[in-house]
Amino acid sequence: MSRIRARFWDPSGKRYGIPTWPWRMAPAHLLTRRQLTAAGLRPGGQGVQAQILWASRRHGAPGVRAAYLYDVRFALPKRTATPAQLDALAKANAARRTCPECRRDAGYVLPRHLGTCLDCAETPTDLKEVA
């Protein structure tokens, strides 16, 4: 194991407070939130069980980065939305697509900086008053 990886090797958690592994060396039963979501699971109230640390050379954010891990054995299935929640989301999304000037569904979410659909935004204000 290289010195860089050995720096983050702490399965007992004595050095970092919680069990820590280098990049791609964590046990298979420990997953990140994104990995849990991809598997249709959620942490289910459990706290962070471990972490992965790695040295980053990313421009603007150099240093040590961390990814927190959750135990898949304590994870619960993702919740599903109720029919009322799905109806409310559909109405909210329809409102975001409806132009306040021409009152039609644009088929896309209206740009906030314009506040109208692209057709209404391109029409000069002089022509809007005449029409």
Side-chain angles (χ1 to χ4, degrees), residues 3 8 17 22 33 39 44 59-60 65 74 87 90 113 115 117 122 126 128 130:
R3 280 186 292 130
F8 302 127
R33 273 188 187 266
H59 178 73
R65 300 190 64 194
F74 303 125
D87 288 342
H113 71 280
C117 65
E122 288 177 0
D126 299 338
K128 289 181 186 176
V130 174

Side-chain angles (χ1 to χ4, degrees), residues 27-88:
H29 70 279
L30 295 173
L31 302 176
T32 64
R33 273 188 187 266
R34 284 191 179 193
Q35 290 170 327
L36 286 175
T37 300
L41 300 170
R42 61 187 170 97
Q46 68 174 306
V48 174
Q49 301 294 318
Q51 66 183 351
I52 294 173
L53 294 179
W54 70 96
S56 173
R57 293 182 303 268
R58 182 182 217 176
H59 178 73
V64 176
R65 300 190 64 194
Y68 300 114
L69 303 173
Y70 301 89
D71 198 329
V72 73
R73 297 173 292 195
F74 303 125
L76 299 174
K78 286 175 64 174
R79 295 183 192 143
T80 57
T82 65
Q85 289 172 328
L86 293 174
D87 288 342

